[in-house]
Amino acid sequence: MVGITAYGGYIPRYRLSRMTIIQNMAWYFPVIMAVAGGEKAVANWDEDSLSMAVAAASDCMAGQDRKSLDGVLFASTTMPFADRLNAGIIAAALNAPEEGAMNADFGSCLKAGTTAAVSALQAVESGQKNNVLVAASDLRKSKMATLAEMFTGDGAAAVLFGRDNVIAEFKGSYSTSYDFIDHYKGSGKDYDYLWEERWVRDEGYGKIIPQAIQGYLKKYGASIADFHKVVYPCYFSGTHREIAKRLGIDPSRVQDNLHTVCGDTGTAHPLLMLSAALEGAKPGDKILLAGFGQGCDVLGFEATDKIKGFKPARGVAGSLAARVDLANYQKYTKFKDLIEADLGIRGEANPNTSLTALWRKRKMILGFVGAKCAKCGTPQFPPQPMCVNPDCNEVGCFEEYEFADKSGFIQMFTGDLLSPSVDPPAVYGLVDFEGGGKAFLDFTDCDLSQVKVGMPIAMSFRRRAHDRVRGFTGYFWKAVPKVQG
Amino acid sequence: MASGIKDKVAIIGMGCTRFGERWNDGPEELMVEAFQECLADAGIGKNDIQAAWLGTCFDEVMVGKSALSMSMALRLPNISVTRVENFCASGTESFRGAVYAVASGACDIALAMGVEKLKDIGYGGLPEFSTAIGMTNSLWFPNLTAPGGFAMLASGYAAKYGLDIMDVKKAMAHVSVKSHQNGAKNAKAHLRKPVTEEQVMNSPMIAFPLGLFDCCGVSDGAACAIVTTPEIAKSLGKKDIVSVKALQLALSNGTEIAYKWDGAHFATTTKASRMAYEEAGITDPKEEVSMMEVHDCFSITELVTMEDLHISERGKAPKDILDGFYDLSGKIPCQPDGGLKCFGHPIGASGLRMLYEMYNQLQGKAGERQVKDPRYGLTHNLGGFPMMNVCSIAIVGKYHA
């Protein structure tokens, strides 16, 4: 049996109320008041599509054997690198195998997530691959006071496809492809260029999705009534309902488009909604998934008994629950790099990244892989040639030790206002890991006032620095204090 | 078996510039100013110097690499000159080079200079050092600053002893108040205004819980010493000879940052001070050390250092500090010249500036800051960060006293 063996999602904790946007920007473009309800998810300043994809992948892969991965497919229209395999960075962050793996990026279209899923499933079906992870993510960036700013949100999803322990069996797919340009983004451009929304919703979402779903039903001789959940994106909530009506889907069987709680996460959205649907699925439930963008992919799944035994680490529901109000619109515009604020002369330093050093240390930097002394058993970071235990100091006698999934406790910390930061103060400190090991780390997703010595932390893969001159994004792991709220 | 440095080397001359925002002076002017005072004090000629050491930290933004800057600024007679760098211990490293050269018998008279020109960078605080932490560290280290690095120690210290961090901050405030009182009495000090504990407590936050007045001055300055053997010192007619009793250095090996550490002490200072007392023949530092100049880059550093020097008991430094034990009128005056806090902290010069105060105190030349009948003076530098650092300790005293 081929199908979904694990799934997960990630929605960043900051939520910007649409009323906050209206209060700040409706003077400029009152039309945005038409979409006044709910809130959108906003990535922290140190997150991007790739780091969120790693968060979703970690959510999905908790408890799964990462060493059995044959490849990672990454789908996004906002990848940090135009030429450097982005999926390879996700694979490295997961400390996935390098030998025998084929990672790939799927981009330049919002249905790239479902297209990657079809490709992964075909690879498993053909017997060429056993376990392929698809991660889809987008860091949405829109001009201020636009409908796009109102509709979009940041987020990521990940689905593992395989043959063993399938929790939702793959029931075939059907795709359509048209050069229908509801929006586009030219190479090197920061923002989408959008055509009139009436055309996009009536001739785009409103026609292309129903036609593709009907094509699937025809291809497999199925009826829409067979499906317990139908999952398709459409940020026009009225049109989202209209599509269901046109296809004769009972409203209770339509998966919520997450508009009120998160906004449209672009490439991630179909898989994010699928993850949310799977969280509520029972054995035997049939799920239909559609992705939209220059056509439409439709995939069918049927939950197996094994779905009862699976839970993502936190899941979409958990991500949605872990929310913090971003009440400051200016902070949002700074995080999204829509305004320029001074970092001071201290913030000008911009050394390049040594690619040779990064290659040597890729497991340490991207995977947060340390070492465990095979002689004395001491876990340690960073990995060094000589054991750090003063009573041991054995040379070159180590096995890999993954710190990324370890919990720890804050031993000491500060909030540094002198350090140049987009979100001062820069909070960092020393962390003691459960099971041994210590590391000096940046903290994120916390306010200084919430941080205490002894507080537990979890690790999160984050964008560490972005070199605007050379276009290089550096990543490392940060500690997230488990603060309340 | 090594016999240590005690009484093998004498200081015959010292010089120190006024520290501060010396906008119109570069490192060359500062070095020459300190050197002229030092040479006059030693009463020798420039050509009597056979070897020299220069301590600087931020060579990238100041004098550049190599020791050519000093050799050329002082127009030294084509002798060996070596630049040393070991974070904030750079000045004491320079002194160590000169002292060891004399002790070895390789030369008779040597010069140790330390200088730092910090106010040429266009912004407050120390120069940004993201490019100076090593290629691999630059891939993962937090973008820390000096105050941030040391601020962490306050949270670790408070947690270890179950104290409210604001109570620790009160003791830290007294550290700064005391140094301001002393600095006000020093014409060469950068910051010369007394402050109140309330002012310190309410100063703008830099890195929690360190406010502006918990941080030392960022200053330009130079200091230097000329050393020789006690025999040559005597032959030069020197009286009240000040000799080196101990000179120790200890560096972190990764234990604190990556293995085991309580986050409430400096492992290096704890060891280096013990070694220094042993080298100097001091068995009870609380009774025998007369005065100290320690590395108060931040108030919390001085507070914790009082315990690492085996003077305050563990967990008791805040009480001793608030009791006035380290005030100028206390049992062991600490920072009689104002310390890094008020004299200022041109990094490479600081170790030698501390020795300059000890040297003057031992010779009874400290004016209204004079400590009564000092026997041993201890200087201490701490470079780097609490979890990985370089510690240097020097003890000086009257020769054969």
Side-chain angles (χ1 to χ4, degrees):
Chain A
M1 190 192 293
V2 168
I4 296 168
T5 55
Y7 63 87
Y10 175 73
I11 296 166
R13 71 168 195 151
Y14 276 130
R15 308 299 152 76
L16 178 67
S17 163
R18 291 192 177 87
M19 276 312 291
T20 303
I21 305 177
I22 285 165
Q23 281 155 10
N24 282 277
M25 296 310 300
W27 64 272
Y28 189 80
F29 187 56
V31 171
I32 59 176
M33 286 192 281
V35 204
E39 59 192 20
K40 58 183 262 169
V42 179
N44 205 344
W45 67 276
D46 58 356
E47 296 184 287
D48 64 8
S49 62
L50 201 143
S51 74
M52 291 192 293
V54 171
S58 302
D59 190 51
C60 168
M61 294 299 290
Q64 305 293 315
D65 177 17
R66 295 186 216 167
K67 295 296 169 202
S68 69
L69 282 176
D70 295 312
V72 175
L73 309 184
F74 180 39
S76 176
T77 62
T78 50
M79 295 187 196
F81 288 92
D83 187 349
R84 171 191 176 189
L85 192 64
N86 296 279
I89 305 172
I90 298 172
L94 297 173
N95 197 25
E98 295 179 327
E99 302 297 319
M102 192 182 79
N103 305 320
D105 290 339
F106 285 66
S108 63
C109 175
L110 292 188
K111 76 167 173 60
T114 48
T115 305
V118 172
S119 301
L121 284 160
Q122 286 172 347
V124 176
E125 267 184 332
S126 73
Q128 293 290 313
K129 303 284 177 197
N130 294 312
N131 298 288
V132 180
L133 178 71
V134 172
S137 173
D138 259 329
L139 181 76
R140 313 301 302 268
K141 184 171 176 179
S142 319
K143 287 180 184 167
M144 293 156 72
T146 56
L147 283 173
E149 179 175 45
M150 301 300 279
F151 285 129
T152 57
D154 301 323
V159 184
L160 179 63
F161 297 104
R163 178 173 309 116
D164 302 322
N165 296 313
V166 169
I167 59 174
E169 186 181 3
F170 179 47
K171 293 290 190 182
S173 71
Y174 176 78
S175 292
T176 62
S177 289
Y178 316 102
D179 187 28
F180 180 89
I181 315 165
D182 54 302
H183 74 276
Y184 68 88
K185 184 163 69 180
S187 289
K189 294 290 183 189
D190 276 340
Y191 302 102
D192 290 349
Y193 189 81
L194 293 85
W195 213 245
E196 185 180 358
E197 57 267 19
R198 298 177 65 82
W199 181 69
V200 171
R201 68 182 194 221
D202 295 346
E203 295 297 307
Y205 284 97
K207 272 193 184 160
I208 290 173
I209 290 176
Q211 283 170 0
I213 288 177
Q214 277 158 349
Y216 174 91
L217 296 173
K218 190 176 167 203
K219 179 178 173 184
Y220 293 100
S223 156
I224 194 71
D226 300 340
F227 291 92
H228 300 78
K229 268 296 182 244
V230 185
V231 181
Y232 55 91
C234 179
Y235 51 83
F236 304 107
S237 294
T239 309
H240 193 252
R241 286 190 294 273
E242 197 57 41
I243 291 169
K245 209 169 159 187
R246 184 171 301 180
L247 285 165
I249 308 167
D250 186 286
S252 69
R253 294 188 166 201
V254 178
Q255 184 65 30
D256 177 63
N257 69 353
L258 300 173
H259 170 77
T260 53
V261 290
C262 157
D264 189 289
T265 61
T267 310
H269 217 54
L271 297 184
L272 187 65
M273 290 170 65
L274 173 68
S275 286
L278 288 167
E279 282 173 22
K282 299 179 296 296
D285 278 3
K286 289 184 175 176
I287 297 170
L288 200 61
L289 166 70
F292 175 81
Q294 277 82 62
C296 185
D297 298 316
V298 182
L299 296 84
F301 296 99
E302 182 175 341
T304 71
D305 273 348
K306 291 211 161 70
I307 198 153
K308 288 185 289 187
F310 179 84
K311 244 176 85 78
R314 195 168 66 158
V316 179
S319 255
L320 282 171
R323 62 177 295 290
V324 168
D325 269 321
L326 181 58
N328 182 338
Y329 182 76
Q330 282 70 33
K331 203 164 179 173
Y332 157 80
T333 58
K334 181 59 203 161
F335 286 5
K336 287 283 178 191
D337 206 15
L338 301 170
I339 56 167
E340 195 165 353
D342 192 21
L343 264 187
I345 301 179
R346 187 180 289 280
E348 286 175 7
N350 186 28
N352 69 357
T353 298
S354 170
L355 303 183
T356 39
L358 183 56
W359 166 246
R360 282 198 304 276
K361 302 288 185 184
R362 63 193 184 280
K363 278 180 177 277
M364 166 192 161
I365 300 300
L366 297 175
F368 199 28
V369 177
K372 185 174 178 181
C373 179
K375 191 177 170 207
C376 74
T378 301
Q380 46 205 279
F381 189 90
Q384 292 277 297
M386 201 179 277
C387 176
V388 72
N389 175 358
D391 298 324
C392 176
N393 285 176
E394 187 72 9
V395 180
C397 182
F398 295 108
E399 51 199 55
E400 268 188 16
Y401 187 83
E402 294 180 352
F403 279 100
D405 59 354
K406 302 292 182 293
S407 52
F409 297 93
I410 296 170
Q411 186 183 23
M412 58 203 303
F413 71 97
T414 187
D416 188 341
L417 283 157
L418 189 64
S419 181
S421 168
V422 171
D423 189 22
V427 184
Y428 51 79
L430 204 54
V431 166
D432 270 326
F433 285 96
E434 275 190 88
K438 237 174 162 53
F440 179 42
L441 298 164
D442 277 315
F443 296 177
T444 191
D445 282 2
C446 63
D447 293 324
L448 176 63
S449 61
Q450 302 170 307
V451 180
K452 302 277 178 286
V453 171
M455 185 174 267
I457 62 96
M459 295 306 299
S460 180
F461 183 82
R462 295 295 168 121
R463 191 176 72 162
R464 184 174 170 276
H466 180 63
D467 173 351
R468 284 165 196 273
V469 176
R470 307 172 191 88
F472 191 87
T473 304
Y475 296 89
F476 187 59
W477 293 76
K478 295 186 180 182
V480 179
K482 290 186 178 164
V483 297
Q484 297 303 312
Chain B
M1 185 65 189
S3 56
I5 202 72
K6 186 177 183 180
D7 284 339
K8 290 177 180 169
V9 178
I11 304 173
I12 55 167
M14 288 205 76
C16 182
T17 67
R18 179 177 62 79
F19 283 10
E21 289 166 336
R22 301 284 301 260
W23 302 114
N24 295 317
D25 293 305
E28 297 80 9
E29 286 81 4
L30 296 167
M31 281 191 276
V32 169
E33 186 179 318
F35 183 58
Q36 283 181 302
E37 181 189 346
C38 183
L39 209 54
D41 182 36
I44 61 166
K46 183 160 74 180
N47 291 342
D48 296 329
I49 298 168
Q50 294 160 330
W53 275 260
L54 168 65
T56 71
C57 185
F58 286 98
D59 57 282
E60 292 85 355
V61 297
M62 188 184 43
V63 296
K65 299 205 180 291
S66 92
L68 276 169
S69 56
M70 176 161 95
S71 186
M72 293 175 79
L74 303 187
R75 309 292 186 208
L76 294 175
N78 304 122
I79 57 171
S80 73
V81 188
T82 306
R83 189 177 69 83
V84 291
E85 186 280 307
N86 222 346
F87 281 165
C88 295
S90 299
T92 303
E93 272 290 17
S94 153
F95 185 68
R96 187 162 161 265
V99 166
Y100 276 22
V102 167
S104 75
C107 67
D108 289 330
I109 297 179
L111 168 70
M113 171 72 78
V115 64
E116 208 80 28
K117 172 71 194 174
L118 293 173
K119 300 308 295 179
D120 269 349
I121 56 170
Y123 53 96
L126 292 181
E128 196 279 330
F129 43 71
S130 64
T131 52
I133 56 173
M135 212 56 127
T136 302
N137 284 342
S138 72
L139 295 173
W140 71 279
F141 249 48
N143 192 15
L144 84 167
T145 66
F150 285 90
M152 294 192 298
L153 188 62
S155 70
Y157 185 88
K160 159 112 185 187
Y161 296 108
L163 304 169
D164 187 310
I165 198 157
M166 292 315 285
D167 288 335
V168 178
K169 192 170 157 83
K170 274 182 199 139
M172 286 156 53
H174 186 76
V175 166
S176 296
V177 168
K178 169 265 298 162
S179 295
H180 272 269
Q181 281 168 352
N182 299 349
K185 297 181 175 129
N186 192 336
K188 286 188 171 179
H190 182 172
L191 305 172
R192 300 200 59 204
K193 279 186 195 150
V195 296
T196 64
E197 266 153 43
E198 197 183 5
Q199 274 176 295
V200 178
M201 293 294 284
N202 295 328
S203 63
M205 194 57 71
I206 302 295
F208 177 81
L210 301 180
L212 181 64
F213 285 10
D214 290 299
C215 307
C216 71
V218 177
S219 328
D220 304 325
C224 59
I226 292 173
V227 295
T228 186
T229 63
E231 293 70 33
I232 294 172
K234 277 183 234 162
S235 73
L236 289 169
K238 297 287 176 187
K239 307 269 183 265
D240 296 331
I241 292 171
V242 173
S243 63
V244 180
K245 306 293 183 184
L247 203 41
Q248 291 291 333
L249 212 71
L251 277 78
S252 294
N253 56 22
T255 301
E256 303 99 297
I257 195 171
Y259 184 58
K260 279 185 184 158
W261 184 40
D262 65 1
H265 80 291
F266 292 97
T268 52
T269 306
T270 303
K271 177 167 183 196
S273 58
R274 210 175 268 131
M275 301 283 290
Y277 297 141
E278 194 183 323
E279 189 173 33
I282 292 171
T283 51
D284 186 354
K286 196 167 177 173
E287 293 304 320
E288 296 176 70
V289 172
S290 317
M291 56 192 173
M292 307 187 289
E293 286 287 340
V294 304
H295 202 83
D296 57 329
C297 49
F298 303 96
S299 53
I300 185 63
T301 321
E302 179 172 330
L303 183 151
V304 171
T305 297
M306 297 303 100
E307 299 176 9
D308 298 327
L309 292 175
H310 312 283
I311 294 177
S312 283
E313 279 176 49
R314 291 281 174 209
K316 297 289 191 288
K319 183 179 182 299
D320 290 347
I321 286 164
L322 290 168
D323 285 349
F325 186 89
Y326 300 106
D327 290 358
L328 194 54
S329 57
K331 174 89 189 289
I332 305 182
C334 189
Q335 328 299 61
D337 71 359
L340 302 175
K341 176 75 192 78
C342 293
F343 203 120
H345 186 25
I347 306 175
S350 283
L352 284 153
R353 181 275 297 164
M354 294 171 170
L355 286 165
Y356 178 74
E357 176 70 6
M358 298 292 99
Y359 173 80
N360 283 329
Q361 290 276 4
L362 287 163
Q363 294 187 331
K365 298 191 288 195
E368 57 177 322
R369 304 187 312 280
Q370 185 62 49
V371 174
K372 192 162 174 285
D373 299 328
R375 183 179 176 205
Y376 290 123
L378 178 147
T379 69
H380 158 266
N381 296 108
L382 200 285
F385 302 99
M387 60 286 177
M388 49 184 281
N389 58 70
V390 180
C391 172
S392 62
I393 289 181
I395 298 174
V396 292
K398 287 176 184 160
Y399 180 59
H400 278 319

